[in-house]
Amino acid sequence: MDSQTSQASQASPSPHTFQVDLRGLVDLLSHHLYSSPKVYLRELLQNAVDAITARRAEQPDAPARVRLHAERGALRVEDSGIGLTEADVHNLLATIGRSSKRADGIQEVRAEFLGQFGIGLLACFVVAERIRVVSRSARTPDARPVEWTATDDGSYTVRTLPGAARPQPGTTVYLEARAGAGEWLSEERVLALARDFGSLLPYDVRVGDEEVTDLPAPWDRPYPSPATRRVALARHCHDLFGFTPLDAIELNVPLAGIRGVAYVLPSAVSPAQRARHRVHLKGMLLTERAEQLLPDWAFFVRCVLDTDSLRPTASRESLYEDETLAAVRDALGERIRSWLTGLAAGDPERLAAFLSVHHLGVKSLARHDTEMLRTMLPWLPFETTDGQLSLEEFALRHPVVHFTRTVEEYRQVAPIASAQGVGVVNGGYTYDSELVQALPSVRPGTVVAELDADTVTAHLDAVDPAEELALSGFLAAARAKLDPLGCDVVLRAFHPLSVPALHLDDRAARHEQARAAAEEEADDLWAGILGSLRGSAPRARLVLNHLNPLIRRISSVKDPELVGTATESLYGQALLMAQRPLRPADSALLNRAFIGLLEWATHSDSDSRGTVTDE
């Protein structure tokens, strides 16, 4: 008995078959797999086109027609395809997930099919409560037509029909709309969807008497001249995407089976914005939202193309990320790169118009592509102390190309550097500092240096030692006032005369200021840790302009308290002129200096005021 029990326990359990709730599956399809009920028509067109493809593989002269008829909440779709026998119906239509593309005799032409996942008619239950299929096989001419009828509760029936029910091979699908979905089966909606999905299909597709296909594709049509072609493609872009492009770029990659066009956007867009492209697969629209089709730097174009090599995902609404897609992305990026170099070589006016809008995208490409940087160097605009210039022209004017890493640093020094003859490029914008630093790689011998406070100060004229010694008391008071803020005070003579003071610092000085501020606010333990990190980084500097009349008057003030208030005012004004973010301590200083000046200006006892004399 124990032996029998042991043998029974070791026996393989009986297999069971999954039970599928069709209504639950339809809900899953409509709410999670597909983005819209409109995909039902794509599935119908796909099945019809695949059936015709299968028949033509065996009978090359077979007719290739798809006819759609919509009326009163019902839709009839007829095709002249391969058709089905009764055994095919039981084997294919009644088994969810099985595809006719796996059937014997069709595998060798599978690459020509649109469908890959065998979901097929199931998607039609998104809009229909009842589906009826009448089909006659072209492979078995003597077989009688067969009818398959299914409802959305998961039940179906199969029966054979008299030969007169469908005299010719092919398939007819009848849909009856579910409650609330009748609008999806209206003639107007069916025609619009059929043209959207099937305008590039290679077969004769009609809705009633209206032709659906529009071949050849706009980019494959012959035109009498390049100008006529540009106009036609611009019109196509406006109809498709809603904008008139700056230009159209041919996307022809024969090895990848790709033909199409990229339209250049007429206005600037953020590089972070994901471009959405329109992709057809063997003529059938796959998606209007393909995001991974082009390199990230090519965010200034919108594409429409047809391909026979890329793989769709299960929902057939996006592209499968694989090696093929990666290779296609590189190839399309090369086409756009070639278009740019072609403009640089032969059409500078169009290139200038393009760069005035999309220089950011080209800079993104140039920082990783030395050849593109070399090509675009004479054209890419940069903000400099000499105005908007290319790096090529700027380097011809200045033996050393100085640059700042932030916009704030540039604003600090631009007026002063310009007056002293120091050329500076604003590297604070996206990609600019990287491109400036890459300049020697494409222009050998060019000297590039980051501008710092020491460089600026070195270009300012020193004050006569005797004059500076005479102002030592004033300078000592000013330094004592700003020392708690981590700022030194120096005296120089520079142009323009209208600038009384210049605030200079660099990243190291700002890091030290941030560390000191954190140390003041921290508890004892953390303050000790931050204190141990104190370095020998240079401090910020307030450079007073000895040529400025206001500085000369302030330096003659005898009242130490007024000197301190004036120094704080100059410091605050220099920060504001540099458009630097203010720390809480800086804001408090500005407020204190403003109130102090008001009190001094309105003091009733004139004798308490400091004596001010003009030189």
Side-chain angles (χ1 to χ4, degrees):
M1 184 68 176
D2 292 341
S3 175
Q4 292 177 349
T5 301
S6 175
Q7 292 176 359
S9 65
Q10 294 175 3
S12 300
S14 300
H16 298 280
T17 303
F18 282 107
Q19 301 299 311
V20 177
D21 180 353
L22 187 59
R23 285 178 174 169
L25 188 56
V26 168
D27 181 71
L28 179 67
L29 290 175
S30 61
H31 289 94
H32 299 284
L33 184 61
Y34 296 130
S35 62
S36 166
K38 69 180 182 180
V39 297
Y40 87 91
L41 194 69
R42 183 193 64 200
E43 297 294 340
L44 289 173
L45 285 175
Q46 172 186 303
N47 287 343
V49 169
D50 284 346
I52 293 172
T53 301
R55 184 176 180 186
R56 284 207 155 181
E58 301 180 6
Q59 304 172 15
D61 296 331
R65 297 187 302 270
V66 181
R67 298 290 183 266
L68 298 91
H69 304 276
E71 54 182 345
R72 295 189 296 275
L75 177 64
R76 183 173 84 256
V77 182
E78 302 175 352
D79 70 65
S80 58
I82 193 70
L84 301 172
T85 64
E86 183 176 4
D88 293 333
V89 167
H90 282 289
N91 191 39
L92 301 173
L93 297 185
T95 305
I96 294 173
R98 179 169 294 175
S99 172
S100 62
K101 288 75 178 178
R102 301 187 182 95
D104 293 339
I106 300 182
Q107 186 69 32
E108 63 271 14
V109 293
R110 182 173 177 174
E112 300 300 320
F113 291 118
L114 299 172
Q116 298 288 327
F117 298 94
I119 296 176
L121 289 174
L122 191 61
C124 294
F125 281 119
V126 173
V127 297
E129 64 178 5
R130 185 170 180 267
I131 303 174
R132 185 164 71 96
V133 178
V134 177
S135 188
R136 184 165 191 166
S137 175
R139 285 204 190 95
T140 314
D142 297 335
R144 295 169 61 186
V146 60
E147 177 189 71
W148 175 84
T149 304
T151 58
D152 61 0
D153 64 0
S155 62
Y156 73 92
T157 61
V158 178
R159 63 177 181 140
T160 55
L161 301 176
R166 184 171 179 95
Q168 300 298 324
T171 300
T172 303
V173 179
Y174 302 84
L175 300 186
E176 295 179 12
R178 63 169 59 249
E183 191 269 338
W184 288 103
L185 272 61
S186 67
E187 184 174 12
E188 181 180 2
R189 177 59 69 90
V190 169
L191 178 59
L193 292 178
R195 283 177 170 166
D196 195 37
F197 284 118
S199 63
L200 300 184
L201 289 174
Y203 303 137
D204 179 13
V205 183
R206 297 176 186 269
V207 176
D209 296 327
E210 298 289 338
E211 191 170 354
V212 169
T213 53
D214 185 21
L215 294 175
W219 51 85
D220 285 330
R221 296 173 190 169
Y223 296 96
S225 68
T228 306
R229 179 181 181 83
R230 280 198 295 269
V231 171
L233 289 178
R235 183 165 51 248
H236 174 250
C237 176
H238 190 274
D239 293 342
L240 205 61
F241 294 116
F243 65 85
T244 300
L246 287 177
D247 206 348
I249 307 169
E250 298 288 335
L251 299 179
N252 183 12
V253 187
L255 292 178
I258 286 178
R259 286 285 299 155
V261 63
Y263 293 116
V264 181
L265 291 166
S267 56
V269 293
S270 167
Q273 179 179 329
R274 299 293 293 181
R276 294 185 172 186
H277 310 290
R278 187 178 175 92
V279 178
H280 296 256
L281 180 61
K282 302 180 183 72
M284 180 75 75
L285 178 65
L286 176 68
T287 178
E288 299 173 283
R289 302 185 303 275
E291 295 183 348
Q292 66 273 51
L293 188 64
L294 295 180
D296 290 341
W297 56 261
F299 54 82
F300 49 84
V301 298
R302 296 291 179 271
C303 294
V304 54
L305 55 82
D306 188 26
T307 175
D308 58 17
S309 63
L310 299 179
R311 291 174 55 196
T313 58
S315 67
R316 290 183 48 77
E317 294 186 331
S318 59
L319 297 171
Y320 188 81
E321 185 67 53
D322 58 9
E323 292 181 357
T324 301
L325 179 57
V328 165
R329 183 162 50 236
D330 291 342
L332 295 180
E334 183 58 37
R335 293 296 182 275
I336 298 173
R337 182 186 288 106
S338 298
W339 170 78
L340 283 171
T341 56
L343 288 186
D347 201 339
E349 289 186 3
R350 285 171 66 199
L351 178 63
F354 166 75
L355 289 178
S356 68
V357 178
H358 296 299
H359 58 273
L360 198 59
V362 181
K363 286 182 177 181
S364 174
L365 170 60
R367 68 194 178 116
H368 296 303
D369 189 320
T370 302
E371 187 58 38
M372 181 57 62
L373 177 59
R374 181 178 289 107
T375 301
M376 292 290 109
L377 196 59
W379 306 101
L380 288 174
F382 289 80
E383 182 180 1
T384 78
T385 48
D386 292 353
Q388 287 284 335
L389 293 177
S390 70
L391 290 182
E392 175 73 21
E393 186 175 356
F394 188 80
L396 290 173
R397 297 185 181 187
H398 298 279
V400 178
V401 178
H402 289 101
F403 72 97
T404 63
R405 291 187 180 273
T406 68
V407 175
E408 290 80 7
E409 290 173 355
Y410 178 79
R411 288 170 178 165
Q412 278 187 91
V413 302
I416 309 303
S418 179
Q420 308 305 313
V422 179
V424 184
V425 179
N426 184 355
Y429 296 116
T430 307
Y431 312 133
D432 282 10
S433 64
E434 297 172 72
L435 291 173
V436 175
Q437 292 177 87
L439 187 55
S441 67
V442 297
R443 198 177 187 277
T446 303
V447 179
V448 174
E450 182 176 356
L451 190 69
D452 55 24
D454 288 335
T455 303
V456 177
T457 305
H459 281 81
L460 305 180
D461 294 334
V463 178
D464 182 85
E467 293 188 42
E468 187 167 359
L469 181 60
L471 299 177
S472 59
F474 163 74
L475 293 175
R479 287 166 182 154
K481 196 67 177 178
L482 296 186
D483 184 68
L485 296 173
C487 183
D488 290 332
V489 178
V490 296
L491 188 66
R492 292 289 187 274
F494 56 88
H495 293 272
L497 301 181
S498 58
V499 177
L502 175 65
H503 181 270
L504 293 178
D505 65 358
D506 52 25
R507 283 174 295 161
R510 289 195 294 277
H511 290 165
E512 174 60 22
Q513 288 178 342
R515 186 209 59 77
E519 182 181 354
E520 289 181 3
E521 299 177 2
D523 56 30
D524 292 342
L525 174 60
W526 187 237
I529 295 174
L530 290 173
S532 67
L533 298 177
R534 184 183 298 111
S536 59
R539 287 153 56 94
R541 297 171 205 172
L542 182 67
V543 184
L544 302 180
N545 188 358
H546 188 55
L547 300 180
N548 180 267
L550 177 62
I551 295 298
R552 286 177 173 269
R553 290 196 296 270
I554 292 176
S555 63
S556 301
V557 173
K558 304 305 181 184
D559 185 345
E561 186 175 341
L562 183 55
V563 169
T565 300
T567 301
E568 289 181 331
S569 300
L570 290 169
Y571 174 82
Q573 188 265 352
L575 285 180
L576 294 176
M577 289 298 293
Q579 302 183 43
R580 294 295 306 276
L582 299 180
R583 299 171 297 166
D586 297 330
S587 299
L589 175 145
L590 279 171
N591 182 65
R592 183 171 64 249
F594 177 72
I595 296 300
L597 288 176
L598 283 179
E599 289 180 348
W600 179 82
T602 58
H603 201 285
S604 58
D605 184 2
S606 61
D607 292 338
S608 66
R609 300 184 186 180
T611 303
V612 179
T613 61
D614 288 318
E615 292 188 2

